[in-house]
Amino acid sequence: MSTVKLVEEAVANPRVRAVFDDIKATKKIERVPNIWRALATHPEHLELCWTRLKAIMRPGKIDMLTKEIIALAVSVTNGCEYCINSHTAAVQKLGLDNDGLGEVLAVVGLYNQMNRLADAYQIDPDILPKVV
Amino acid sequence: MSTVKLVEEAVANPRVRAVFDDIKATKKIERVPNIWRALATHPEHLELCWTRLKAIMRPGKIDMLTKEIIALAVSVTNGCEYCINSHTAAVQKLGLDNDGLGEVLAVVGLYNQMNRLADAYQIDPDILPKVV
Amino acid sequence: MSTVKLVEEAVANPRVRAVFDDIKATKKIERVPNIWRALATHPEHLELCWTRLKAIMRPGKIDMLTKEIIALAVSVTNGCEYCINSHTAAVQKLGLDNDGLGEVLAVVGLYNQMNRLADAYQIDPDILPKVV
Amino acid sequence: MSTVKLVEEAVANPRVRAVFDDIKATKKIERVPNIWRALATHPEHLELCWTRLKAIMRPGKIDMLTKEIIALAVSVTNGCEYCINSHTAAVQKLGLDNDGLGEVLAVVGLYNQMNRLADAYQIDPDILPKVV
Amino acid sequence: MSTVKLVEEAVANPRVRAVFDDIKATKKIERVPNIWRALATHPEHLELCWTRLKAIMRPGKIDMLTKEIIALAVSVTNGCEYCINSHTAAVQKLGLDNDGLGEVLAVVGLYNQMNRLADAYQIDPDILPKVV
Amino acid sequence: MSTVKLVEEAVANPRVRAVFDDIKATKKIERVPNIWRALATHPEHLELCWTRLKAIMRPGKIDMLTKEIIALAVSVTNGCEYCINSHTAAVQKLGLDNDGLGEVLAVVGLYNQMNRLADAYQIDPDILPKVV
């Protein structure tokens, strides 16, 4: 259960409501996800988070499915339950089926293992990335 | 400095050499990266790791650049120096420029923040992913 | 559900009961929190943990609210559900309202992001702390 | 060594230079820390990060020393070398001596231990925080 | 709740059924644990994971109880609920009582603390391990 | 480089010197490891850490090699460089050769992967551990 009372859309103040409306319009969804309703207990922080997320989570050099896959990889590596559920739903909505999801998670699992082995043996980098 | 003596290609036993040769042929590289030379101190584990990595890190439903981007996202989230260097070099070799890298890392940074906020407020999932 | 049977105060042995009594007296609470009832399955470890916690969690150069805020920041970064709930309750009891909590978590979220970006770009330290 | 070429102040484009100037003026420092010079390889991300950091890292309900202590607690828990150095220097500059630093780190160490024990025994929360 | 529909043993395809049968025979259990039923949504990944796990989780230089204790230490440090439950059950089945479990977790808790303190003070290694 | 000036044995105050002497006598070593010299900047914390470590790191139901293996598994999972070096040296001193070390790290790597997959698919526990 959340540690703060989630802000109801109906009783949100104008500053919060503006963000809530933008979230629903941008994401084409009917109701505001719980994470934003929790952040709304501190309206300035809500704005800072949403503005930045909106600026980053739009297609650029990297397409939206890849961005959501990155978000899922990060969330799985951090073990964040809310975020794993949210980004799994997002990649499914963008068309990734169970086969594709299995492949993504195979890579996530693989490198969580390889990361530990590289750390375990305290391996020095081979070749530094080409700094340009 | 690594905690075990890295196995030299020239003096590797046949079992290790077979894996080393396959690594160089598959990755089209001239010398065996340090991580594999450390794993070679336990030849069976070397085989298990390489066989599995080779089966996962090939194009499927997910292309190679996306797979390397996932590997980088995992490595950054775990803070693994060797792996960050290695996968940054890999995505650069596959054509990602500094702009693309910046976008990838912006998403990685964003969701490391959002993961903590979701955990911090102990938010319950909104809608579970469609289980199919 | 806990992986061991929590020790009931009524049936605790004298060694455990002495710690339980001290916990309730020190924290001015009516019943022993679950974590201590689990640790009581190994009485020596219970004593070691409680003695050390009691020595550290008292006002010194750093006041109690700041210490509980640090505990919350650590627990959020580790994603520990029990601890997030416990330390959120503690900072609220010490007077932090939702605005203050929002500010604390904004800092926690921000630096989880900045940590990853610093790791991602493998940045060398600028100026070392003044070693005194 | 950083994975991208750090942007030199002298050759930064106007958008980057504006942020660099603001960083130096706000933090009252002579040169731009390396993390910002790395982020400058993606000027939009640099702006997003700096704007958000500046909005959060100023005195509010929580004073600056406490905010830097939170940043240090997060950075230690994540094991981020750059950030540990940077925030240790910051708390020292704000007046925390070795005794105070020792107290802060004692709390950080303590709760990294307690977090794992709470997870290890899969303890259910005692009393939920008062949701207001 | 799992993000994919767990594969039922009765309707598994032959490739999946072969792995399921091997899991039950190897582990001497009556039904396939949930994690394998989730991985079965991607049969090739199921095979890769099971083959590798089976090769590693058998007595060698290190006995099975120690291997399960390592698995528990890793799972606690990562805070993985499913895995903590599974490996706690496994060490109990192999004969570890609450006293032994308490000792194991005391060590896990202790070094999660010491790890953070070593990172916090940015301590250089004393003596490198003997590289052989 | 450490963020505090390591305390020299020769100039330590009596309280610190008593701990230093006990560390050297208990561990049968000639000089005090760096981590304790850093903790000595806060003598009370030094005592608390050493007393607790000494009480836990002695043979009990679990032998010393297994305890050092647990410490290594935790340190690798946290990616703590100082601790990985220190506990690798410790297991080698207690007789573990490269084959044994390879087996230990294979288990550590395997469960870092399995932990992420269990989290990724949000698997519910199968059978709860027998609570006794």
Side-chain angles (χ1 to χ4, degrees):
Chain A
M1 211 188 73
S2 71
T3 60
V4 291
K5 193 167 180 302
L6 301 183
V7 174
E8 296 289 345
E9 293 183 52
V11 301
N13 69 33
R15 189 177 184 183
V16 166
R17 185 177 300 241
V19 177
F20 280 5
D21 287 346
D22 194 26
I23 290 170
K24 291 191 287 184
T26 306
K27 290 180 171 280
K28 297 182 180 47
I29 52 181
E30 298 294 311
R31 63 186 203 76
V32 177
N34 292 339
I35 177 80
W36 303 107
R37 294 174 57 207
L39 290 172
T41 55
H42 192 309
E44 188 192 356
H45 194 212
L46 173 71
E47 278 180 356
L48 283 168
C49 287
W50 170 246
T51 313
R52 182 156 156 275
L53 186 145
K54 192 181 170 185
I56 293 174
M57 291 307 277
R58 65 181 173 209
K61 291 233 168 182
I62 310 291
D63 62 86
M64 278 312 290
L65 178 55
T66 304
K67 289 194 174 183
E68 283 292 346
I69 286 172
I70 297 171
L72 180 58
V74 168
S75 302
V76 167
T77 305
N78 281 328
C80 175
E81 182 185 351
Y82 179 84
C83 313
I84 291 169
N85 277 287
S86 163
H87 297 294
T88 302
V91 294
Q92 289 175 336
K93 201 172 167 184
L94 287 165
L96 199 72
D97 62 11
N98 275 358
D99 256 23
L101 182 63
E103 258 190 65
V104 166
L105 298 179
V107 179
V108 171
L110 173 67
Y111 286 102
N112 271 288
Q113 170 218 354
M114 296 304 288
N115 280 199
R116 295 333 183 186
L117 294 172
D119 277 347
Y121 284 117
Q122 294 281 295
I123 313 290
D124 292 318
D126 294 286
I127 306 159
L128 294 169
K130 199 179 48 177
V131 173
V132 283
Chain B
M1 210 187 73
S2 72
T3 60
V4 290
K5 193 166 180 301
L6 302 183
V7 174
E8 296 289 345
E9 293 183 53
V11 302
N13 69 33
R15 189 177 185 182
V16 167
R17 185 177 298 240
V19 177
F20 279 5
D21 287 346
D22 195 26
I23 289 171
K24 290 190 289 183
T26 306
K27 289 180 172 280
K28 297 180 182 47
I29 51 181
E30 298 295 313
R31 63 186 203 78
V32 177
N34 293 339
I35 178 79
W36 303 107
R37 293 173 58 205
L39 291 171
T41 56
H42 192 309
E44 188 191 356
H45 194 213
L46 172 70
E47 277 180 358
L48 284 168
C49 288
W50 170 247
T51 313
R52 182 155 156 275
L53 187 145
K54 192 182 170 184
I56 293 174
M57 292 306 278
R58 65 182 174 210
K61 290 235 168 180
I62 310 292
D63 62 86
M64 279 311 291
L65 177 56
T66 304
K67 289 193 175 183
E68 284 292 346
I69 286 172
I70 298 171
L72 180 58
V74 168
S75 301
V76 167
T77 305
N78 281 328
C80 176
E81 180 186 352
Y82 179 84
C83 313
I84 291 169
N85 278 288
S86 161
H87 297 295
T88 302
V91 295
Q92 289 175 336
K93 201 171 166 184
L94 288 165
L96 199 73
D97 61 11
N98 274 358
D99 256 22
L101 182 64
E103 258 191 65
V104 166
L105 298 180
V107 179
V108 171
L110 174 67
Y111 285 102
N112 271 289
Q113 170 217 356
M114 296 304 288
N115 280 199
R116 297 329 187 187
L117 294 172
D119 277 346
Y121 283 118
Q122 294 281 294
I123 314 291
D124 291 319
D126 295 285
I127 307 159
L128 294 168
K130 198 179 48 174
V131 173
V132 285
Chain C
M1 212 188 73
S2 71
T3 60
V4 291
K5 194 166 179 302
L6 301 182
V7 174
E8 295 290 343
E9 293 182 50
V11 301
N13 69 33
R15 189 177 184 182
V16 166
R17 185 177 299 241
V19 177
F20 280 4
D21 287 347
D22 195 26
I23 289 171
K24 290 191 289 185
T26 305
K27 289 180 171 279
K28 297 181 180 49
I29 52 181
E30 298 295 312
R31 63 185 203 78
V32 177
N34 293 339
I35 178 79
W36 304 107
R37 294 173 58 208
L39 290 171
T41 55
H42 192 309
E44 188 191 356
H45 194 212
L46 173 70
E47 279 181 357
L48 284 169
C49 287
W50 170 247
T51 313
R52 182 154 157 275
L53 186 145
K54 192 182 171 185
I56 293 174
M57 292 307 277
R58 65 181 174 210
K61 291 234 167 179
I62 311 292
D63 63 87
M64 278 312 291
L65 177 56
T66 304
K67 289 194 174 183
E68 283 292 347
I69 286 173
I70 298 170
L72 180 59
V74 168
S75 301
V76 167
T77 305
N78 281 327
C80 176
E81 181 186 352
Y82 179 84
C83 312
I84 291 169
N85 277 288
S86 163
H87 297 295
T88 302
V91 294
Q92 289 175 336
K93 201 172 167 185
L94 288 165
L96 199 73
D97 62 11
N98 274 358
D99 257 22
L101 182 63
E103 256 190 65
V104 166
L105 298 180
V107 180
V108 171
L110 174 67
Y111 286 102
N112 271 287
Q113 170 218 354
M114 296 304 288
N115 280 199
R116 296 332 187 188
L117 293 172
D119 277 347
Y121 284 116
Q122 294 281 292
I123 313 291
D124 292 318
D126 295 286
I127 307 159
L128 295 169
K130 197 179 50 178
V131 173
V132 283
Chain D
M1 212 188 73
S2 72
T3 60
V4 290
K5 193 165 179 304
L6 302 182
V7 174
E8 296 289 346
E9 294 183 51
V11 300
N13 68 32
R15 190 177 183 182
V16 166
R17 186 178 299 240
V19 178
F20 279 4
D21 287 346
D22 195 25
I23 289 170
K24 291 191 288 184
T26 306
K27 289 180 171 278
K28 296 180 181 50
I29 50 181
E30 299 294 312
R31 64 187 202 78
V32 178
N34 293 339
I35 177 80
W36 303 107
R37 293 174 58 206
L39 290 171
T41 55
H42 192 309
E44 188 191 356
H45 194 212
L46 173 71
E47 277 180 358
L48 284 169
C49 287
W50 171 246
T51 312
R52 182 154 157 277
L53 186 144
K54 191 181 171 186
I56 292 173
M57 291 306 277
R58 64 180 176 212
K61 290 234 166 183
I62 310 291
D63 62 87
M64 278 312 290
L65 177 56
T66 304
K67 289 194 174 183
E68 283 292 346
I69 286 173
I70 298 171
L72 180 58
V74 168
S75 301
V76 167
T77 304
N78 281 328
C80 176
E81 182 186 351
Y82 179 84
C83 313
I84 291 169
N85 278 288
S86 161
H87 297 294
T88 301
V91 295
Q92 288 175 336
K93 200 171 166 184
L94 288 165
L96 199 73
D97 61 11
N98 274 358
D99 256 22
L101 181 64
E103 257 190 66
V104 166
L105 298 180
V107 179
V108 171
L110 174 67
Y111 285 102
N112 270 289
Q113 170 217 356
M114 295 304 288
N115 280 198
R116 297 330 187 187
L117 293 172
D119 277 346
Y121 283 119
Q122 294 281 293
I123 313 290
D124 292 318
D126 296 286
I127 306 160
L128 295 169
K130 198 179 49 176
V131 174
V132 284
Chain E
M1 211 188 73
S2 71
T3 59
V4 290
K5 193 167 180 302
L6 301 182
V7 174
E8 296 288 345
E9 293 183 51
V11 301
N13 68 33
R15 189 177 185 182
V16 166
R17 187 177 297 240
V19 177
F20 280 4
D21 287 346
D22 195 25
I23 290 171
K24 290 191 289 183
T26 306
K27 289 180 172 279
K28 296 181 180 50
I29 52 181
E30 299 294 310
R31 63 186 203 78
V32 177
N34 293 339
I35 177 81
W36 303 107
R37 293 174 58 207
L39 290 171
T41 56
H42 192 308
E44 188 191 357
H45 194 213
L46 173 70
E47 278 181 356
L48 284 169
C49 288
W50 171 247
T51 312
R52 182 155 157 276
L53 186 144
K54 192 181 171 186
I56 293 174
M57 291 306 277
R58 65 181 173 209
K61 290 234 167 181
I62 311 292
D63 63 87
M64 278 310 292
L65 178 56
T66 303
K67 290 194 173 181
E68 283 292 346
I69 286 173
I70 298 170
L72 180 58
V74 168
S75 302
V76 167
T77 304
N78 282 327
C80 175
E81 183 186 351
Y82 179 84
C83 313
I84 291 169
N85 278 288
S86 162
H87 297 294
T88 302
V91 295
Q92 288 175 337
K93 201 171 167 185
L94 289 165
L96 199 74
D97 62 10
N98 275 356
D99 257 24
L101 182 63
E103 258 191 63
V104 165
L105 298 179
V107 179
V108 170
L110 173 67
Y111 286 102
N112 271 288
Q113 170 216 356
M114 296 303 289
N115 280 197
R116 297 330 186 189
L117 294 172
D119 277 346
Y121 283 118
Q122 294 282 293
I123 314 290
D124 292 317
D126 295 286
I127 308 159
L128 295 169
K130 199 180 47 176
V131 173
V132 285
Chain F
M1 212 188 72
S2 72
T3 60
V4 290
K5 192 166 179 304
L6 302 182
V7 174
E8 296 289 343
E9 293 183 51
V11 301
N13 69 32
R15 190 179 184 180
V16 166
R17 185 177 298 241
V19 178
F20 280 5
D21 287 346
D22 195 25
I23 289 170
K24 291 190 288 184
T26 305
K27 289 181 172 279
K28 296 180 182 49
I29 50 181
E30 299 295 311
R31 62 186 204 79
V32 177
N34 293 339
I35 176 81
W36 302 107
R37 293 173 58 205
L39 290 171
T41 56
H42 192 309
E44 188 191 357
H45 194 212
L46 172 71
E47 278 181 357
L48 284 168
C49 287
W50 171 247
T51 312
R52 182 155 157 277
L53 186 145
K54 192 181 171 185
I56 293 173
M57 291 306 277
R58 66 182 173 208
K61 291 234 166 181
I62 310 292
D63 62 87
M64 279 309 293
L65 177 56
T66 304
K67 290 195 173 181
E68 284 292 347
I69 285 172
I70 297 170
L72 180 58
V74 167
S75 302
V76 167
T77 304
N78 281 327
C80 175
E81 180 185 352
Y82 178 84
C83 313
I84 291 169
N85 277 289
S86 162
H87 297 294
T88 302
V91 295
Q92 288 174 337
K93 200 171 167 186
L94 288 164
L96 200 73
D97 62 11
N98 275 357
D99 256 23
L101 182 63
E103 258 190 65
V104 166
L105 298 180
V107 179
V108 171
L110 174 68
Y111 285 102
N112 271 289
Q113 170 216 359
M114 295 304 287
N115 280 198
R116 297 330 186 187
L117 293 172
D119 277 347
Y121 283 119
Q122 293 282 292
I123 314 290
D124 292 318
D126 295 286
I127 308 160
L128 294 168
K130 198 180 49 175
V131 173
V132 285

